[in-house]
């Protein structure tokens, strides 16, 4: 049993399977189409979008990046969404977050056709998840669940503590884990005595963006540690929430940053694009 959960390796295995689904679609003359809308010049967003495009190409998915200036109006973005909702060659629509201040983000995700909502940010798809009638699963949370499953770590009956309550990671992940029979505790930056909760976790999942938040005395002996956090240290390197070297010996399994959850998020996005295509034809 590998102690380090290798997200890069697991995502490569998943991509191999996805490639065969793309080939099956190609035999019917269909190429999955993904529209990625990027507004403004946010550095991290530009890197995320480039990575998404690279993997889409690798799998034979037609990805179109639509770059718009940061002063783009709500009306203009809505028009673009309607255009792609109606476009039969586009099966998935992704609006990269964060959006500039003048844009009503909630309204935009309401307008994306729920069948093309490959991020699973549309209220209909989130609602479906709540009642265990899932159409799409949000990419980072399902990426975490796949990592656990592929590492033979059972979820049912486990006490899973999530640190982070965002709409795109913490909250949906909690619902999905509840659907799988876990006992879930959700903590956040206001939680008093975080250690009291984190040290009870069979599986501890951190998604805060605070480097070195999780050290050995925050965790239980032999806990599974999943690090979704992303930030940069003083040297400019990408780091997670977990003090990896400090926690390593005490954990039974641990995800590295980079090379843990990150590659899974993109693989799951591509899986959603292929699923959306299969459902639309
Ligand atoms: N910005 C940061 N993460 C994400 C994501 O998963 N999807 C989108 N659309 N934007 C993001």
């Amino acid at each position: 049993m590998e102690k380090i959960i290798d997200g890069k390796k697991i995502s490569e295995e998943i991509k191999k399977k996805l490639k065969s689904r793309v080939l099956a679609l190609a035999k019917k003359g269909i190429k999955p189409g993904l529209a990625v809308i990027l507004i403004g010049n946010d550095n991290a967003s530009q890197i995320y979008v480039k990575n998404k495009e690279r993997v889409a190409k690798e799998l034979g998915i037609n990805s179109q990046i639509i770059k718009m200036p940061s002063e783009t109006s709500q009306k203009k973005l809505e028009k673009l969404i309607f255009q792609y909702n109606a476009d039969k060659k586009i099966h998935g629509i992704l609006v990269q977050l964060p959006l500039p201040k003048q844009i009503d983000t909630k309204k935009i995700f309401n307008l994306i056709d729920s069948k093309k909502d490959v991020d699973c940010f549309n209220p209909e798809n989130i609602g479906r998840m709540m009642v265990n009638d899932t159409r799409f699963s949000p990419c980072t949370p399902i990426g975490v669940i796949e990592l656990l499953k592929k590492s033979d770590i059972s979820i049912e009956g486990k006490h899973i503590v999530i640190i982070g309550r965002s709409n795109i990671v913490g909250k949906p992940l909690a619902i999905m884990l509840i659907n799988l029979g876990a006992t879930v505790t959700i903590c956040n930056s206001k939680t008093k005595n975080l250690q009291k909760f984190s040290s009870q976790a069979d599986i501890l999942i951190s998604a805060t963006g605070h480097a070195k938040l999780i050290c050995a005395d925050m965790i239980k002996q032999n806990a599974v540690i999943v690090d979704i956090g992303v930030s940069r240290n003083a040297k400019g390197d990408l780091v997670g929430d977990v003090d990896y070297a400090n926690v390593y010996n005490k954990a039974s399994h641990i995800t590295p940053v980079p090379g843990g959850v990150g590659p899974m998020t993109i693989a799951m996005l591509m899986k959603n694009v292929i699923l959306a295509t299969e459902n639309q034809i």
Side-chain angles (χ1 to χ4, degrees):
M1 185 65 67
E2 301 274 340
K3 180 161 184 160
I4 300 171
I5 300 177
D6 187 343
K8 197 155 187 325
K9 187 171 149 207
I10 294 170
S11 73
E12 291 301 330
E13 287 160 13
I14 290 169
K15 285 194 278 182
K16 234 186 246 167
K17 285 191 192 147
L18 294 179
K19 233 177 198 168
S20 65
R21 282 165 72 177
V22 174
L23 285 175
L25 287 165
K27 280 191 188 141
K28 296 180 189 163
I30 290 145
K31 188 166 185 164
L34 169 67
V36 178
I37 301 170
L38 174 61
I39 302 187
N41 304 309
D42 183 77
N43 266 341
S45 288
Q46 290 187 13
I47 295 167
Y48 289 146
V49 163
K50 220 178 249 169
N51 286 338
K52 287 168 187 173
E53 191 186 30
R54 179 176 46 77
V55 178
K57 276 225 172 83
E58 198 183 310
L59 295 181
I61 291 169
N62 172 29
S63 89
Q64 279 174 241
I65 298 184
I66 303 96
K67 284 191 182 164
M68 311 272 285
S70 49
E71 64 273 15
T72 298
S73 69
Q74 175 82 19
K75 261 237 161 81
K76 196 149 190 193
L77 179 55
E78 288 181 8
K79 220 174 132 190
L80 203 60
I81 303 281
F82 291 134
Q83 180 194 319
Y84 287 114
N85 277 348
D87 188 337
K88 292 219 153 54
K89 286 205 161 72
I90 292 296
H91 307 92
I93 302 170
L94 184 149
V95 178
Q96 186 66 31
L97 295 177
L99 289 167
K101 279 202 271 305
Q102 76 275 16
I103 303 287
D104 180 344
T105 302
K106 286 198 182 89
K107 185 162 181 214
I108 293 302
F109 285 107
N110 255 299
L111 293 178
I112 293 176
D113 183 338
S114 62
K115 293 185 191 70
K116 299 191 177 187
D117 173 36
V118 288
D119 256 331
C120 191
F121 291 172
N122 175 295
E124 180 189 327
N125 286 325
I126 295 166
R128 279 175 178 275
M129 228 166 40
M130 288 288 287
V131 293
N132 210 354
D133 179 25
T134 299
R135 178 184 279 158
F136 293 116
S137 300
C139 306
T140 299
I142 193 68
V144 168
I145 289 170
E146 284 295 314
L147 280 183
L148 295 173
K149 285 187 173 169
K150 291 277 181 338
S151 307
D152 291 322
I153 296 163
S154 64
I155 291 169
E156 194 178 73
K158 295 283 175 67
H159 182 198
I160 304 183
V161 176
I162 301 171
I163 310 174
R165 55 162 165 180
S166 74
N167 286 330
I168 65 176
V169 179
K171 272 194 262 179
L173 179 55
I175 299 303
M176 293 157 81
L177 292 168
I178 290 168
N179 287 340
L180 292 169
T183 302
V184 180
T185 300
I186 314 173
C187 301
N188 61 67
S189 59
K190 309 275 195 303
T191 299
K192 293 196 177 84
N193 197 356
L194 185 61
Q195 190 205 25
K196 184 177 107 188
F197 298 98
S198 65
S199 61
Q200 291 178 43
D202 302 316
I203 303 174
L204 179 65
I205 304 176
S206 188
T208 73
H210 291 283
K212 302 202 172 178
L213 176 70
I214 307 300
C215 47
D217 61 7
M218 297 278 287
I219 75 165
K220 185 162 91 173
Q221 185 72 43
N222 292 326
V224 174
I225 309 296
V226 178
D227 194 349
I228 312 184
V230 181
S231 57
R232 295 214 177 252
N233 66 12
K235 283 194 282 178
D237 303 326
L238 210 63
V239 294
D241 291 354
V242 177
D243 188 342
Y244 189 88
N246 183 256
V247 161
Y248 184 85
N249 281 332
K250 200 170 177 184
S252 78
H253 295 79
I254 186 164
T255 66
V257 176
V261 177
M264 293 298 289
T265 296
I266 300 188
M268 294 298 111
L269 172 67
M270 298 306 147
K271 189 176 180 181
N272 279 349
V273 175
I274 294 163
L275 181 67
T277 310
E278 291 164 346
N279 288 343
Q280 283 166 57
I281 59 172

